[in-house]
Amino acid sequence: MTSLKGQIAVVTGAGSGIGKAMALALAEQGAVLCLVGRNSERLEAVAKYARNFSSDVSIHKTDLGIDRDIHLLAAGLKKDFGGVDILIHSAGVISIGRFEDASIEDFDFQYKINVRAAYLLTQEVLPMLREKKGQVVFMNSSVGVTGKGGVGQYAASKHALKGLADSLREEVNADGVRVLSVYLGRTATPMQAALHEMEEKKYVPERLLQPEDIAEVVLNALGLSKTAEVTDIFIRPLRKP
């Protein structure tokens, strides 16, 4: 496994859930962490723990729904670090509803955060990723491959994210940049707890994937020798919830 020590890793949605687990796993490897999210208090809490393993941890309060915030984030990364080795897209939102009832405003918001923000941020830091022969990870969903009733808008955004990742991979392969999509089943995160509440289902987190499971698998892919590329990972709870 290739060491990730000293590599500059940008993690969106780093304040909780999968983003938090990824950030802490990278910290344990000695990566230089750039934590991105909207909630400063949550980011500070993650940073405080991460500094037990890595002294190089910075916080970037960013609303990914605002283009100017993304531009400022990218400019700050270039100024402070000069490059990016790892970009992990963990931020995301979900709204459920049947096709005839779900609002177009909810659709627009999911597209904006789940697809457009990931596209724009990747586009902004792509020159730095190319220079470093870096890696991009898109946290996707099982419904990004097979849509299901009641989550059509979310599924559409995740299908779009898959297309974005697949196209990007083809474009940057010759530059030595690796692109990974991770298709997740239900995972014990605050988003999943909220989703269970919307669905009026009992939330039993121990029956679900754990964020640390995902971080462990992704970390192994990131640490592979540059003679190999993992393009897609499918991971789900052992037992169907």
Side-chain angles (χ1 to χ4, degrees):
M1 182 173 176
T2 302
S3 173
L4 302 178
K5 184 176 177 62
Q7 292 200 22
I8 300 158
V10 180
V11 184
T12 72
S16 65
I18 297 166
K20 175 183 177 180
M22 281 304 318
L24 296 179
L26 286 162
E28 290 181 12
Q29 293 290 316
V32 177
L33 277 183
C34 306
L35 306 179
V36 179
R38 290 184 300 171
N39 189 308
S40 296
E41 290 184 1
R42 289 180 181 175
L43 292 176
E44 288 285 359
V46 175
K48 182 178 180 180
Y49 188 79
R51 290 189 181 106
N52 291 321
F53 308 100
S54 173
S55 59
D56 296 314
V57 182
S58 59
I59 289 172
H60 304 263
K61 184 179 179 182
T62 305
D63 186 337
L64 294 173
I66 301 174
D67 288 359
R68 183 174 181 274
D69 275 19
I70 295 176
H71 293 312
L72 289 173
L73 170 62
L77 293 171
K78 183 174 179 59
K79 177 183 176 183
D80 295 340
F81 303 102
V84 173
D85 294 286
I86 300 169
L87 173 60
I88 298 180
H89 294 287
S90 293
V93 295
I94 185 171
S95 179
I96 64 174
R98 293 180 61 82
F99 201 97
E100 65 266 30
D101 299 323
S103 74
I104 199 65
E105 289 80 14
D106 285 345
F107 197 1
D108 289 343
F109 186 60
Q110 289 175 91
Y111 169 78
K112 191 168 191 178
I113 301 300
N114 297 348
V115 186
R116 191 177 184 280
Y119 186 99
L120 181 57
L121 179 55
T122 305
Q123 186 180 60
E124 288 279 309
V125 303
L126 193 53
M128 291 185 278
L129 286 163
R130 279 196 166 107
E131 185 177 346
K132 290 273 195 173
K133 298 187 185 301
Q135 307 188 69
V136 186
V137 179
F138 294 93
M139 293 299 175
N140 206 304
S141 166
S142 58
V143 299
V145 180
T146 304
K148 295 182 179 180
V151 291
Q153 296 179 349
Y154 181 70
S157 74
K158 291 300 187 177
H159 272 71
L161 191 65
K162 177 185 184 300
L164 187 160
D166 290 346
S167 296
L168 175 65
R169 187 181 301 113
E170 289 293 317
E171 293 182 15
V172 300
N173 177 264
D175 302 315
V177 177
R178 298 196 292 205
V179 178
L180 169 63
S181 287
V182 186
Y183 300 95
L184 306 172
R186 296 208 174 209
T187 306
T189 64
M191 178 188 286
Q192 193 60 232
L195 179 58
H196 274 68
E197 185 175 347
M198 285 187 277
E199 294 174 328
E200 298 182 345
K201 292 181 178 179
K202 183 180 179 181
Y203 180 57
V204 186
E206 58 269 23
R207 289 284 305 273
L208 307 180
L209 279 171
Q210 301 302 304
E212 294 76 17
D213 298 332
I214 296 158
E216 182 178 356
V217 171
V218 173
L219 212 63
N220 284 333
L222 292 173
L224 280 176
S225 163
K226 282 300 184 80
T227 57
E229 179 180 25
V230 178
T231 60
D232 302 275
I233 292 174
F234 294 82
I235 182 169
R236 68 179 190 180
L238 177 61
R239 294 185 296 166
K240 188 174 181 179

